[in-house]
Amino acid sequence: MLSPTCCSFYSFTGIIFMLFVYIMLSTQPFFITGLPDIDLARKNAFGALMTFCTTFALSVFLIMKDSKAAGKETADCWGGDHDGTHELGSPNLMVSGAGKQSYGAVTTDSY
């Protein structure tokens, strides 16, 4: 699955390009040759522009949602004292338990 950051970059690039195409088809369609129906091309360019805008808005929403969720997780990950150290003196950065190692989303026992 693509990340929201990648999708937002792709969508932003698509918005810029389709905005250029739409403006060209609206103001100077004679520069774009080989189109039998200029009105249909203009409508399709506008539809693609709106699709890119929707994808960009959804990507920004997901980025904001992920950043808020990450803020909550990091705020709750410090155990022990309030000076940012664990009982053993090292930072407790999302440690999932004693004797366990985390490989991505799967926590396994280390033997």
Side-chain angles (χ1 to χ4, degrees):
M1 184 170 156
L2 294 175
S3 70
T5 306
C6 179
C7 287
S8 64
F9 178 74
Y10 174 74
S11 299
F12 184 73
T13 306
I15 289 170
I16 292 172
F17 178 72
M18 291 312 300
L19 185 63
F20 173 74
V21 170
Y22 180 74
I23 290 172
M24 287 297 292
L25 287 173
S26 297
T27 59
Q28 300 173 341
F30 50 87
F31 282 119
I32 301 175
T33 60
L35 296 176
D37 188 5
I38 300 295
D39 290 331
L40 180 64
R42 186 181 311 125
K43 289 178 186 177
N44 288 339
F46 184 75
L49 176 64
M50 289 299 110
T51 302
F52 278 121
C53 288
T54 303
T55 306
F56 182 75
L58 183 62
S59 298
V60 169
F61 171 74
L62 289 175
I63 290 171
M64 300 283 282
K65 181 181 168 189
D66 287 346
S67 68
K68 287 181 183 179
K72 285 184 179 180
E73 289 174 6
T74 56
D76 296 336
C77 73
W78 294 99
D81 298 330
H82 292 289
D83 64 350
T85 59
H86 192 262
E87 291 86 13
L88 300 176
S90 62
N92 183 15
L93 298 173
M94 306 266 229
V95 175
S96 58
K100 303 238 180 198
Q101 290 181 343
S102 178
Y103 297 103
V106 179
T107 303
T108 60
D109 290 326
S110 61
Y111 296 104

